[in-house]
Amino acid sequence: MPYQADILVVGCGNILFKDDGFGPTVVRALQYYFENGSIKREDITGEYDEMFSDEMIDSINQLMDSMDLSEPKDVEYIDAGTGSTHFIFSMPDENWKKVIVVDVVEFDAEPGTMKLFNPYDMPKGKYENAHTWPVEEPLHDLVDMGIEVVIVGCKPGDIPMPDVEMGLTEPVKNAVPKAVEMILKEIY
């Protein structure tokens, strides 16, 4: 298995459906920062260009710089998309100590609200990937194996499936820096 780090940060979702792209966007922000020491507009190309605003980039850079972080060597950031998440969580590595899942979660709150969940307090029927595979069961299995699992969840504003519409809604886009901060607190 290629994921052999102590800590995995797994961004789940599909950027083709607006806020469903939250998880991959957060993971990409972390990847860009740790690869380059900051996030630069010119580094964001292709499909992710629409996901990042200049304000978001500035906010994340300021947050990361204020924390004076260096990339931990035992963390792997994974843009897992949709269907691949089931397989990633179903084939754990013996090195895994913690899995941090970043995704949209339906719960009673305003769009853009962030909340930490554990797999056992996820709203029933509210956490499935785009193919309606429940993700809770493989996450429960990881916990049963002694792996700590944390879900960094964001209340979505709009997921227009099956219509393709890229770009995060404003409240969810504004939540990306908070998600980065929550993840870093789980790592450090």
Side-chain angles (χ1 to χ4, degrees), residues 30-89:
L30 289 162
Q31 287 173 329
Y32 290 138
Y33 186 88
F34 285 123
E35 286 172 6
N36 304 307
S38 69
I39 304 171
K40 299 177 183 78
R41 168 58 63 197
E42 58 269 16
D43 295 333
I44 303 167
T45 59
E47 65 272 9
Y48 283 93
D49 187 50
E50 292 184 42
M51 307 303 274
F52 287 83
S53 67
D54 291 337
E55 295 80 17
M56 180 198 305
I57 292 169
D58 291 343
S59 181
I60 293 170
N61 282 331
Q62 288 172 6
L63 169 70
M64 302 285 270
D65 291 346
S66 73
M67 296 179 91
D68 192 31
L69 305 170
S70 61
E71 181 177 16
K73 296 191 185 332
D74 61 347
V75 178
E76 192 158 351
Y77 302 97
I78 303 163
D79 176 354
T82 54
S84 61
T85 56
H86 180 76
F87 299 107
I88 290 170
F89 301 146

Side-chain angles (χ1 to χ4, degrees), residues 80-154:
T82 54
S84 61
T85 56
H86 180 76
F87 299 107
I88 290 170
F89 301 146
S90 297
M91 297 186 292
D93 185 88
E94 62 189 23
N95 294 325
W96 297 3
K97 301 205 178 3
K98 186 173 203 170
V99 175
I100 302 168
V101 180
V102 188
D103 203 355
V104 291
V105 177
E106 285 291 346
F107 63 101
D108 189 24
E110 293 294 316
T113 302
M114 297 297 306
K115 184 174 178 180
L116 285 177
F117 294 92
N118 75 51
Y120 292 102
D121 56 40
M122 293 297 299
K124 290 290 181 205
K126 300 292 185 184
Y127 195 55
E128 297 177 343
N129 71 16
H131 301 285
T132 66
W133 291 337
V135 180
E136 290 101 340
E137 185 176 332
L139 294 178
H140 292 172
D141 292 344
L142 292 178
V143 171
D144 293 343
M145 295 171 61
I147 299 168
E148 183 181 357
V149 177
V150 175
I151 299 148
V152 176
C154 179

